[in-house]
Amino acid sequence: MTDAAKKETLNKFEKFKAEKDGLAVKGELEHFAAIGWEAMDETDRDHRLKWLGVFFRPVTPGKFMMRMRIPNGVITSHQLRVLGEIVQRYGDDGNADITTRQNIQLRGIRIEDVPDIFSRFRAAGLTSVQSGMDNVRNITGDPVAGLDKDELFDTRDLVRQVQDMITNNGEGNPAFTNLPRKFNIAITGGRDNSVHAEINDLAFIPAFKDDTFGFNVIVGGFFSAKRCDAAIPLNAWVPPETVVAVCKAVLEVFRDHGLRANRQKSRLMWLIDEWGLDKFRAEVEKQLGQELQPAAEKDEIDWEKRDHVGVFRQKQPGLNYVGLHIPVGRLYAQDMFDIARLAEVYGDGEIRLTVEQNLIIPNIPDSRLDAFFAEPLLQRFSISPDTLTRGLVSCTGAQFCNFALIETKNRALSTIKALEAELHLTRPIRIHWTGCPNSCGQPQVADIGLMGTKVRKNGKAVEGVDIYMGGKVGKDAHLGTCVTKGIACEDLQPVLRDLLIEHFDAKPKQEAMVTR
Ligand code: SRM
Ligand code: SF4
């Protein structure tokens, strides 16, 4: 086939990537700022800007979203304050969300401010590069890395090295800006799989070989509207010093051989299916230039997953990390300033983000805990939230996302409050909301997952959900499946109530009071 004929058969996304690399818009930001969002070339505005982490939002035209990269979810108070200052200038339009990839998204951004925002990022050591479209997403690592006395490996430096390799130290790296599709990487060093390793395209899980520490490698995990799969073992064990090279080799194989014709069939698992695991593994070895060692017999994930909400002793004597619950991850500028202040006054200025959309303030001395607990901010961002609130996660939904079939974050909060008023629960239940089948809110890892859909009720299309159950995280993780389809959101509360009573030992409050 000639090059021209090949181009003819490319889908729209492959075509515009072939015409101009996404990263090329980096040199055009001043021009975009000068002409404004309405005059911009539509492909640059709606798609290529995502290579810089700048997302046009059709729901709020002219007010862009920016998706950062926060490797391992570690951010400083100074950096959080810089992000707070950026959203503050947009008044009511400005806010931020902690994402399900231990990351931060900013909202309300005007294109004319983007060049200045990038200078602020650079000065603060932040980057948003390659965080959207056909790029590697924020790389997740243990949120309590370096703090947890039971950890097997501190993932922070390794996650940073992988990000630096992929993004050319945050400047952008054309070697990895034209992948067939998005790509997720996770590295876990704790005993409880805090990062949902199994739902990543490539993940590293602690495993010892002859008493030497390393990682077993799993590949191909992903969620999409068409198909969801947990990652499968590559039958490879790698020492920490080989992780960056393995990431590079896997990405090069995916870039050069991944399927590109149909975007619904382009994630890594589809290539593994087409080739078979043995061929895929052999190609990774070829690219790596060395043989991979077979997987260690047993990986070391043997704990139930922790959510890190509450107060915990660190491995450093006399110090504690405190996990704050951030309802559905939503932060406003003042919250960001307040959190930065708490991290500085009580800790050492560091903050950690979790895939449950919460945050952790580490390094608080024993002597400062009581004063910390008395801070008014803890009324809103609790260290002991109610059992249902505690496990609540929600994707962006219709407020800002044009794929959304339903409103999620506000509805998730009001539904949980209503259920908590009715029911008594003895343990946290993880309820995840996602506004459409793309599954950004990961309903398949939840005890109860709710996926937005449209339902017909009284002859009208109304907002509804499909219900997922059985997601298990941490040790022996596996994906939940759809158990009930098409419940109208207005009818959902009693359905959830019954599920909680039937499957999770919830008791109606009246009854619980009598039997106690
Ligand atoms: Fe996602 C697309 C938000 C985690 C699967 N996701 C989108 C877009 C960019 C769609 C759009 O342009 O509007 C959403 C932006 C909405 C907005 O304004 O915020 C969006 N995804 C999110 C976030 C913010 C949800 C959240 O509230 O936390 C998460 C950002 C993570 C980050 O920091 O990078 C987010 N998305 C996920 C996850 C969960 C994960 O990574 O663990 C998944 C499922 C896992 C996976 O990808 O395998 C996920 N998002 C998708 C998909 C389906 C991918 C596919 O292969 O088909 C899309 C649609 C697409 O890429 O075409 C999508
Ligand atoms: Fe948007 Fe759907 Fe992702 Fe929710 S799941 S953020 S509605 S794309």
Side-chain angles (χ1 to χ4, degrees):
M1 211 192 283
T2 64
D3 280 356
K6 258 191 209 156
K7 211 166 159 195
E8 229 10 68
T9 61
L10 294 178
N11 70 50
K12 145 180 151 180
F13 293 88
E14 289 301 324
K15 232 182 240 171
F16 78 67
K17 288 193 291 179
E19 276 162 20
K20 175 176 161 189
D21 189 81
L23 207 56
V25 292
K26 196 177 172 192
E28 297 170 71
L29 288 176
E30 295 285 355
H31 172 62
F32 297 157
I35 63 173
W37 69 273
E38 282 162 301
M40 282 176 65
D41 170 78
E42 275 188 26
T43 310
D44 286 345
R45 184 191 69 193
D46 299 359
H47 301 297
R48 292 198 187 93
L49 270 180
K50 292 180 183 169
W51 268 258
L52 303 181
V54 181
F55 289 60
F56 179 70
R57 299 291 71 201
V59 179
T60 57
K63 297 166 197 162
F64 289 75
M65 179 269 277
M66 284 183 97
R67 179 184 284 168
M68 307 305 300
R69 301 192 76 93
I70 312 286
N72 209 124
V74 182
I75 183 167
T76 66
S77 53
H78 172 65
Q79 291 173 326
L80 190 64
R81 203 172 278 122
V82 167
L83 299 182
E85 282 162 5
I86 290 168
V87 295
Q88 186 182 36
R89 74 170 103 165
Y90 301 115
D92 288 347
D93 291 336
N95 59 54
D97 286 317
I98 303 175
T99 77
T100 52
R101 290 200 70 79
Q102 214 178 25
N103 193 11
I104 294 190
Q105 293 189 165
L106 309 176
R107 296 192 190 278
I109 311 293
R110 307 275 154 81
I111 195 72
E112 44 276 32
D113 299 328
V114 169
D116 170 58
I117 291 174
F118 276 125
S119 330
R120 288 166 181 243
F121 285 175
R122 210 164 298 121
L126 286 162
T127 183
S128 60
V129 79
Q130 291 168 240
S131 59
M133 279 299 288
D134 297 350
N135 285 290
V136 181
R137 297 289 184 273
N138 193 46
I139 300 163
T140 54
D142 273 291
V144 289
L147 311 172
D148 177 10
K149 63 178 169 20
D150 296 299
E151 83 181 344
L152 299 158
F153 186 82
D154 179 347
T155 52
R156 289 174 294 174
D157 190 45
L158 204 45
V159 168
R160 164 63 74 170
Q161 286 178 41
V162 176
Q163 166 165 311
D164 287 348
M165 178 273 292
I166 291 166
T167 66
N168 179 26
N169 301 312
E171 289 301 313
N173 182 359
F176 296 116
T177 48
N178 188 356
L179 300 176
R181 205 59 163 91
K182 73 185 287 195
F183 197 90
N184 291 329
I185 301 179
I187 306 178
T188 175
R191 295 174 187 275
D192 70 336
N193 187 7
S194 286
V195 292
H196 304 316
E198 69 287 354
I199 64 171
N200 286 263
D201 297 271
L202 172 62
F204 297 86
I205 297 174
F208 284 90
K209 202 165 223 193
D210 304 328
D211 293 336
T212 306
F213 178 80
F215 299 96
N216 279 342
V217 183
I218 57 173
V219 287
F222 78 117
F223 297 159
S224 75
K226 189 172 176 68
R227 171 181 174 189
C228 295
D229 260 316
I232 55 173
L234 182 64
N235 184 24
W237 175 90
V238 293
E241 58 276 15
T242 313
V243 166
V244 177
V246 168
C247 288
K248 183 164 177 287
V250 170
L251 283 171
E252 285 165 347
V253 169
F254 181 51
R255 177 194 65 199
D256 298 343
H257 304 282
L259 313 183
R260 291 177 184 255
N262 176 351
R263 288 198 52 92
Q264 295 306 319
K265 295 188 173 181
S266 308
R267 296 289 293 271
L268 181 67
M269 189 62 112
W270 294 97
L271 176 65
I272 297 172
D273 279 355
E274 172 125 334
W275 275 0
L277 191 66
D278 291 345
K279 175 169 177 187
F280 176 74
R281 190 177 184 281
E283 290 293 329
V284 172
E285 284 182 325
K286 207 194 298 171
Q287 199 65 35
L288 186 65
Q290 69 182 69
E291 281 188 12
L292 288 164
Q293 297 191 46
E297 264 182 23
K298 188 183 158 306
D299 61 47
E300 299 297 321
I301 289 178
D302 52 4
W303 282 19
E304 293 303 320
K305 187 172 165 6
R306 297 165 291 177
D307 65 8
H308 306 297
V309 175
V311 187
F312 306 90
R313 291 212 159 275
Q314 290 180 202
K315 67 173 157 193
Q316 297 81 4
L319 293 181
N320 305 275
Y321 65 87
V322 181
L324 272 55
H325 180 263
I326 311 293
V328 291
R330 176 67 42 93
L331 296 170
Y332 296 91
Q334 192 56 49
D335 300 330
M336 295 156 91
F337 301 144
D338 290 345
I339 292 161
R341 182 182 67 78
L342 292 195
E344 281 166 5
V345 171
Y346 298 96
D348 64 350
E350 192 176 290
I351 296 144
R352 308 284 181 96
L353 309 173
T354 74
V355 297
E356 284 82 22
Q357 304 177 317
N358 295 320
L359 62 80
I360 295 167
I361 299 184
N363 299 318
I364 305 184
D366 293 342
S367 59
R368 304 286 287 138
L369 278 177
D370 283 343
F372 180 80
F373 297 151
E375 283 284 346
L377 194 68
L378 270 61
Q379 302 295 318
R380 283 184 51 223
F381 299 148
S382 174
I383 59 169
S384 54
D386 284 344
T387 41
L388 289 179
T389 301
R390 182 176 183 131
L392 187 63
V393 167
S394 172
C395 85
T396 305
Q399 189 182 4
F400 298 112
C401 180
N402 55 304
F403 287 119
L405 299 171
I406 63 168
E407 205 287 312
T408 51
K409 286 200 188 256
N410 291 322
R411 177 176 276 137
L413 283 170
S414 58
T415 309
I416 287 297
K417 285 279 161 258
L419 287 166
E420 277 171 348
E422 274 194 281
L423 295 175
H424 175 75
L425 282 125
T426 47
R427 61 187 168 107
I429 310 296
R430 294 170 306 103
I431 300 185
H432 285 219
W433 286 73
T434 207
C436 80
N438 283 328
S439 297
C440 305
Q442 312 157 325
Q444 303 84 349
V445 305
D447 293 316
I448 301 178
L450 303 166
M451 181 186 287
T453 186
K454 290 288 183 215
V455 177
R456 284 207 82 74
K457 195 175 171 193
N458 304 328
K460 275 203 335 226
V462 297
E463 298 197 348
V465 292
D466 293 339
I467 301 181
Y468 283 67
M469 283 181 73
K472 166 117 177 50
V473 290
K475 188 180 161 210
D476 304 326
H478 63 253
L479 304 183
T481 50
C482 183
V483 293
T484 310
K485 276 187 166 293
I487 306 289
C489 288
E490 60 199 51
D491 301 332
L492 183 60
Q493 194 188 318
V495 176
L496 289 177
R497 179 180 178 279
D498 291 349
L499 282 181
L500 288 165
I501 291 172
E502 199 177 323
H503 298 276
F504 300 97
D505 302 326
K507 301 261 181 296
K509 278 222 161 125
Q510 304 285 359
E511 197 183 303
M513 276 165 71
V514 174
T515 52
R516 236 185 287 159

